[in-house]
Amino acid sequence: MDRKLTSDETKELEHLMRNIPKWKQKVAGKSLPMEKFYIKKTERYWVQDRQLVLPIFELCFVWNFFKVLGKKWEVAENVYKVIERKQKELESTKFANGAYDADNKALVLLLKGACLFQMNSPLQAEECFHAVVSLEKKIKDDHYLVPYSLVQLANIYSSRGDVQRAITMFEDVKKKYTGYSLESRLHFQIHSALMELSKVK
């Protein structure tokens, strides 16, 4: 996973990064939320000296693919190792104490927590999600990380059978957080979760 890109691959990557904003389309006069998310990431790529933090895993998470990890322990373990390695790197590289330091740390913590949850380690996962929330005031741009972490916490409570606590947290996220990236995607997840929990009550 740490293979360096070839010269041709780097050129292709930078071509894509430059052109993604130009390819944005509108449907019924509105930009697609996922396209806006991608464009933000291309901007970050240039600001962070042509680097992003775990972009593949971030996309897998927002597309809700992390659930697949729970079915393959060896895959989840390998993903977890990469995330942990990146977490250590962030403490010692030029990203540390940079403009997006909190954003990058929060992203890694969210991914780590999501991975741990799928590896059946909910207590460790919960610590990661709480750590993301603790960074809320320091996050510069990736404000979606906090509500997404809170929903993950609600999922943990739900898995423990603490239904009312989970419902309360899902509802709080809907009421208290707005204007962040991929908000509609998270609302869809919340709606689905609440529908399932209503069958349990």
Side-chain angles (χ1 to χ4, degrees):
M1 287 188 175
D2 291 331
R3 181 181 71 84
K4 297 290 185 181
L5 295 179
T6 65
S7 176
D8 286 343
E9 288 171 338
T10 299
K11 287 178 182 177
E12 183 179 0
L13 171 62
E14 295 195 352
H15 169 75
L16 291 170
M17 287 295 187
R18 287 192 181 94
N19 284 283
I20 283 174
K22 301 176 185 176
W23 295 331
K24 182 174 70 173
Q25 297 182 345
K26 290 189 176 182
V27 177
K30 293 185 177 181
S31 299
L32 298 174
M34 191 58 76
E35 284 193 347
K36 289 194 283 188
F37 181 77
Y38 294 154
I39 290 168
K40 275 191 172 184
K41 291 301 169 180
T42 63
E43 293 168 355
R44 180 78 63 80
Y45 174 80
W46 298 110
V47 171
Q48 289 187 160
D49 194 24
R50 295 177 167 84
Q51 293 186 65
L52 290 172
V53 174
L54 301 175
I56 296 297
F57 294 161
E58 183 177 18
L59 288 181
C60 286
F61 176 79
V62 298
W63 280 103
N64 211 23
F65 289 161
F66 262 55
K67 287 183 177 180
V68 178
L69 296 179
K71 300 176 182 178
K72 289 280 187 179
W73 174 266
E74 62 274 17
V75 175
E77 186 179 31
N78 286 332
V79 169
Y80 179 77
K81 287 178 180 177
V82 174
I83 293 171
E84 269 215 316
R85 189 158 64 244
K86 179 57 68 175
Q87 188 176 27
K88 291 175 182 176
E89 283 179 17
L90 286 178
E91 301 297 333
S92 59
T93 66
K94 58 189 171 185
F95 285 155
N97 301 316
Y100 294 96
D101 181 45
D103 300 61
N104 291 327
K105 286 179 179 177
L107 171 60
V108 171
L109 284 164
L110 172 59
L111 297 175
K112 184 177 181 180
C115 194
L116 284 166
F117 185 39
Q118 295 303 322
M119 294 170 73
N120 201 28
S121 297
L123 292 178
Q124 290 175 283
E126 188 173 351
E127 289 180 7
C128 291
F129 299 135
H130 281 301
V132 175
V133 176
S134 73
L135 291 169
E136 181 172 6
K137 292 183 179 179
K138 296 181 180 179
I139 291 173
K140 181 177 180 179
D141 192 41
D142 292 334
H143 301 291
Y144 85 95
L145 296 169
V146 173
Y148 270 74
S149 292
L150 290 170
V151 165
Q152 290 296 308
L153 279 171
N155 287 331
I156 290 176
Y157 301 148
S158 175
S159 70
R160 290 179 188 159
D162 196 346
V163 175
Q164 190 53 54
R165 190 178 184 187
I167 290 173
T168 299
M169 182 159 282
F170 282 131
E171 295 288 1
D172 283 348
V173 172
K174 285 174 62 179
K175 293 174 185 175
K176 295 179 180 178
Y177 292 89
T178 185
Y180 54 89
S181 296
L182 306 179
E183 182 177 351
S184 58
R185 290 186 68 82
L186 190 62
H187 280 195
F188 180 78
Q189 290 181 33
I190 291 171
H191 177 74
S192 297
L194 288 172
M195 290 291 287
E196 287 299 314
L197 289 174
S198 68
K199 299 174 185 177
V200 177
K201 288 183 68 178

